[in-house]
Amino acid sequence: QITRSATMTVVVSDESAAATRLRAIATAHGGVVTTENVVSGGEKSYYATSTIVLSVPADELDGALTDIAAVGEVTLRTIQSTDVTAKVADVGSRITTMRASIARMQELLTRAGSVTEIAQVETELTNREADLESLLAQQKVLAQRVAQSPITVTLTRVAVVEPNPVPETGFIAGLKAGWHALKVFGVALLTVVGALLPFLAVLALIGVPVVWLVRRRGGARPKVAAESNRPSGEDAPTL
């Protein structure tokens, strides 16, 4: 009992067209598309990716991978195989045991005498039937994993490389370069002036009163010195 799955990365130029081809491939091999997330548009980037998951019969896996490779340029292809034989056998054995246990509980239910005994047997029977349903679900999932093989396909867009611009030369090119340099210098100069203006305003608010006081005191000191140096008794000049 082997489960197989595959992963592929394919470079394409049109995700929508590639998705249409993948759906056709899944149908041709008796499978279906279980997940589809297609991104389309005018983006020019490798990061615009789409994901499509196909599920095909296990014996169709190799053929489906060959057809998918023709959709675009394959950059990655991996196949994973897992042996689930032991797990399948274990689940099958537990199902057989649980069915036998349920049969015994049903027999006990027919022989139960009192209401209490009947209630206890019915509770146990209900629990074991629930366990059997869980085991049957596990068995079904394992059978599907063995019978079907999922293929996860990642579609990557081809990046469009823009041509390198031809450098301009001559008088016009020099004029443009000089004008651009002038604008850069002007922006830098204005930035410096704008950064200094708040500091200059604060310095002006503090410095102007200080300068005024210093000048006032400087003018008052010579006048006082002149008054003190005048000879005593000297009459004031007559007008």
Side-chain angles (χ1 to χ4, degrees):
Q1 301 290 321
I2 304 295
T3 64
R4 301 178 69 200
S5 61
T7 302
M8 295 184 69
T9 299
V10 184
V11 178
V12 297
S13 58
D14 188 338
E15 299 91 336
S16 298
T20 301
R21 292 184 62 182
L22 290 176
R23 288 192 291 269
I25 290 172
T27 303
H29 290 274
V32 294
V33 173
T34 58
T35 303
E36 182 173 333
N37 182 18
V38 178
V39 179
S40 60
E43 298 180 13
K44 301 175 182 179
S45 172
Y46 277 116
Y47 299 101
T49 59
S50 303
T51 303
I52 298 179
V53 180
L54 292 70
S55 180
V56 299
D59 55 355
E60 295 287 336
L61 176 61
D62 296 330
L65 293 178
T66 301
D67 291 343
I68 293 172
V71 173
E73 179 185 354
V74 178
T75 59
L76 174 67
R77 170 174 166 166
T78 59
I79 299 177
Q80 301 84 29
S81 300
T82 305
D83 187 352
V84 294
T85 303
K87 191 169 185 179
V88 170
D90 177 66
V91 172
S93 175
R94 292 171 61 186
I95 289 175
T96 300
T97 302
M98 189 61 64
R99 281 174 172 165
S101 178
I102 290 174
R104 289 194 299 270
M105 296 303 298
Q106 290 173 341
E107 184 181 353
L108 287 175
L109 184 60
T110 59
R111 292 185 297 177
S114 64
V115 175
T116 301
E117 291 178 349
I118 293 175
Q120 291 177 348
V121 174
E122 286 182 343
T123 300
E124 288 294 328
L125 181 60
T126 301
N127 292 336
R128 297 187 186 190
E129 287 177 343
D131 292 339
L132 177 61
E133 292 296 328
S134 176
L135 290 172
L136 290 173
Q138 294 181 41
Q139 187 182 53
K140 183 178 179 180
V141 170
L142 287 172
Q144 290 177 345
R145 289 177 56 189
V146 172
Q148 295 290 122
S149 294
I151 307 172
T152 302
V153 182
T154 301
L155 301 176
T156 303
R157 185 177 307 163
V158 177
V160 178
V161 180
E162 297 291 346
N164 294 327
V166 179
E168 297 182 357
T169 57
F171 175 77
I172 300 299
L175 183 61
K176 290 181 179 179
W179 178 249
H180 177 71
L182 179 61
K183 289 195 296 183
V184 172
F185 174 77
V187 171
L189 180 61
L190 292 176
T191 302
V192 173
V193 172
L196 292 178
L197 277 178
F199 297 96
L200 295 176
V202 173
L203 290 176
L205 291 175
I206 298 175
V208 170
V210 171
V211 172
W212 182 78
L213 289 174
V214 170
R215 287 184 177 180
R216 184 177 180 183
R217 290 181 180 180
R221 286 178 181 176
K223 185 176 180 180
V224 173
E227 294 291 338
S228 63
N229 292 331
R230 179 181 297 177
S232 59
E234 182 179 351
D235 296 333
T238 304
L239 295 176

